[in-house]
């Protein structure tokens, strides 16, 4: 059946400007890191993407190596674009990234011009697009001059293959350097994508100040701490959970100390009339320098529950102080190495 999006899709969603740019993003954006590869039914992916757009989620965030296998999330999204979303392309913000390993050899990862531009061409082919709206350097490359990496982003814009450029998991210092280089090239740095959650607060000491001062947007990923900040782990590790599969979330992280923090935060959420996940999402958006939070979804119901977090974004000073007692580092930042340089 031909997809027709909801007429009221823009009436409830909240949009925020990305720094001082003209780009606006929904408060919650849909990330396709998990749940959109060949290991999941395409009909499930289609239902989630359709419902996301119906709810006013205009931003779909991908990367070259999302799957599994690598590239399959982009291929599946390309199929959904062709079948459902092509008539609405100008209403969508589609992003991709390159930086992590994608193919063998010295040109298949990191931050060289060769890799970034070749990867972008591949991503466009997989998605059947002429351009992406945002193209990111997925991680800082300590062995490639930053001028080369930023020059590749600038080239992507000048070639008409990207409208905006961003960086992900860069330190505050490297963010400032990247901003200057891109400014001199004439392609502004519009957005930074760091990991951030109540259990991973590394951006607070310096990075948020940097993006705020520079007028760069901030879209946070893993705001639910890869599922730790949901009701899935309140009673331990379920057999079908991400932690049980020894993937991106190690079961070693779900110890009694972490569970005590999670349960305490859940009690705060209950008092606010929210789920733990809704509390965690709303909390990341409490700072106006945060443009959007990326959420994944394995079902339409999960997506709808996450979007409901936008119904209650206000916090009292007392609530924030209580949250701070339990929202402490849990050693879950898998991307720390990129941002330590």
């Amino acid at each position: 059946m031909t997809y027709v999006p909801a007429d009221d899709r823009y009436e409830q969603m909240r949009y925020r400007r990305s720094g001082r740019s003209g780009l606006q993003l929904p408060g919650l954006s849909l990330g396709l890191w998990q749940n959109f590869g060949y290991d999941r039914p395409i009909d499930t992916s289609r239902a989630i993407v359709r419902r996301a757009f119906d709810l006013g989620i205009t931003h779909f965030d991908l990367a070259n190596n999302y799957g599994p296998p690598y590239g399959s999330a982009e291929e599946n999204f390309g199929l959904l674009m062709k079948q459902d979303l092509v008539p609405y392309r100008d209403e969508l913000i589609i992003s991709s990234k390159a930086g992590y390993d994608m193919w063998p050899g010295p040109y298949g990862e990191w931050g060289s011009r060769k890799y970034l531009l070749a990867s972008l061409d591949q991503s466009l082919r997989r998605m059947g697009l002429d351009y992406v709206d945002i193209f990111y350097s997925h991680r800082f490359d300590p062995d490639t001059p930053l001028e080369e990496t930023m020059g590749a982003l600038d080239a992507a814009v000048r070639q008409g293959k990207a409208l905006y450029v961003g960086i992900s998991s860069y330190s505050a210092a490297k963010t400032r350097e990247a901003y200057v280089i891109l400014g001199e090239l004439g392609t502004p740095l519009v957005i930074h994508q760091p990991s951030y959650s109540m259990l991973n607060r590394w951006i607070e000491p310096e990075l948020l100040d940097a993006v705020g001062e520079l007028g760069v947007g901030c879209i946070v990923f893993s705001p639910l701490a890869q599922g730790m900040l949901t009701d899935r782990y309140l009673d331990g590790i379920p057999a079908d959970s991400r932690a049980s599969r020894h993937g991106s979330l190690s079961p070693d992280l779900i110890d009694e100390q972490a569970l005590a923090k999670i349960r305490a935060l859940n009690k705060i959420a209950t008092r606010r009339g929210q789920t733990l996940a809704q509390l965690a999402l709303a909390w990341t958006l409490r700072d106006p320098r945060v443009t959007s939070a990326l959420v994944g979804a394995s079902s339409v119901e999960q997506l709808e529950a996450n979007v409901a977090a936008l119904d209650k974004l206000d916090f009292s000073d007392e609530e924030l102080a209580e949250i701070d007692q339990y929202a402490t580092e849990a050693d879950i930042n898998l991307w720390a190495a990129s941002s330590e340089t």
Side-chain angles (χ1 to χ4, degrees):
M1 184 177 294
T2 301
Y3 169 62
V4 178
D7 290 336
D8 63 351
R9 59 188 177 276
Y10 295 116
E11 293 180 10
Q12 301 299 323
M13 178 55 65
R14 304 184 185 204
Y15 297 87
R16 295 184 177 186
R17 192 171 298 277
S18 184
R20 289 193 289 267
S21 76
L23 177 64
Q24 296 186 58
L25 297 178
L28 292 184
S29 300
L30 184 63
L32 281 72
W33 175 27
Q34 310 275 348
N35 303 312
F36 290 87
Y38 289 160
D39 60 334
R40 300 299 173 97
I42 188 64
D43 286 344
T44 301
S45 300
R46 174 180 288 108
I48 294 169
V49 168
R50 285 181 172 186
R51 186 57 179 147
F53 190 41
D54 285 344
L55 291 169
I57 294 178
T58 53
H59 180 210
F60 298 90
D61 181 79
L62 298 106
N64 56 359
N65 62 350
Y66 287 177
Y70 288 175
S72 60
E74 289 184 331
E75 290 179 351
N76 280 338
F77 186 75
L79 178 65
L80 300 179
M81 278 293 304
K82 180 180 180 180
Q83 296 179 348
D84 293 335
L85 296 176
V86 163
Y88 313 100
R89 175 65 182 96
D90 291 337
E91 297 182 44
L92 304 178
I93 300 296
I94 301 168
S95 60
S96 192
K97 317 176 198 74
Y100 287 93
D101 64 299
M102 184 60 190
W103 63 82
Y107 319 122
E109 64 176 323
W110 292 106
S112 70
R113 182 184 183 91
K114 168 71 173 176
Y115 170 57
L116 292 180
L117 295 180
S119 178
L120 178 55
D121 284 344
Q122 292 183 16
S123 291
L124 293 175
R125 286 195 295 271
R126 282 191 289 268
M127 292 188 283
L129 300 176
D130 296 325
Y131 68 94
V132 291
D133 297 274
I134 308 171
F135 184 51
Y136 289 90
S137 166
H138 207 166
R139 61 170 168 172
F140 173 70
D141 181 352
D143 296 320
T144 296
L146 193 56
E147 290 80 3
E148 179 177 340
T149 301
M150 296 303 105
L153 297 184
D154 172 69
V157 173
R158 295 184 184 279
Q159 292 171 5
K161 297 175 181 178
L163 300 185
Y164 301 97
V165 299
I167 56 178
S168 180
S169 299
Y170 278 51
S171 68
K174 292 302 178 185
T175 297
R176 293 181 186 276
E177 289 183 37
Y179 175 88
V180 171
I181 295 168
L182 284 169
E184 292 173 346
L185 292 170
T187 296
L189 176 61
V190 166
I191 196 162
H192 189 300
Q193 187 177 133
S195 61
Y196 183 54
S197 72
M198 290 194 290
L199 302 179
N200 174 25
R201 301 179 64 168
W202 75 273
I203 70 174
E204 291 178 10
E206 297 180 340
L207 184 58
L208 277 177
D209 286 343
V211 296
E213 293 167 12
L214 299 173
V216 173
C218 180
I219 178 169
V220 299
F221 73 90
S222 201
L224 300 182
Q226 300 183 73
M228 287 177 68
L229 292 170
T230 69
D231 58 9
R232 298 215 75 189
Y233 298 101
L234 292 175
D235 298 316
I237 302 176
D240 61 343
S241 66
R242 191 184 303 187
S244 70
R245 298 193 294 269
H246 292 263
S248 57
L249 178 60
S250 169
D252 296 337
L253 298 175
I254 317 291
D255 57 20
E256 283 305 315
Q257 183 178 11
L259 286 173
K261 291 192 286 188
I262 293 168
R263 289 165 181 157
L265 291 168
N266 185 61
K267 290 180 180 179
I268 299 172
T270 301
R271 292 202 303 268
R272 283 172 50 86
Q274 293 179 306
T275 65
L276 176 56
Q278 290 167 346
L279 170 72
L281 292 170
W283 181 87
T284 63
L285 293 168
R286 76 197 187 286
D287 192 312
R289 294 170 295 187
V290 175
T291 310
S292 181
L294 278 167
V295 295
S298 59
S299 67
V300 168
E301 293 75 20
Q302 187 181 67
L303 174 71
E304 292 173 339
N306 286 340
V307 172
L310 300 175
D311 294 338
K312 192 166 187 178
L313 296 179
D314 295 332
F315 290 86
S316 68
D317 292 341
E318 292 76 17
E319 285 175 325
L320 290 174
E322 185 178 6
I323 289 171
D324 280 343
Q325 297 178 43
Y326 309 106
T328 58
E329 295 297 327
D331 194 28
I332 61 170
N333 187 357
L334 303 178
W335 310 271
S338 179
S339 52
E340 287 173 351
T341 304

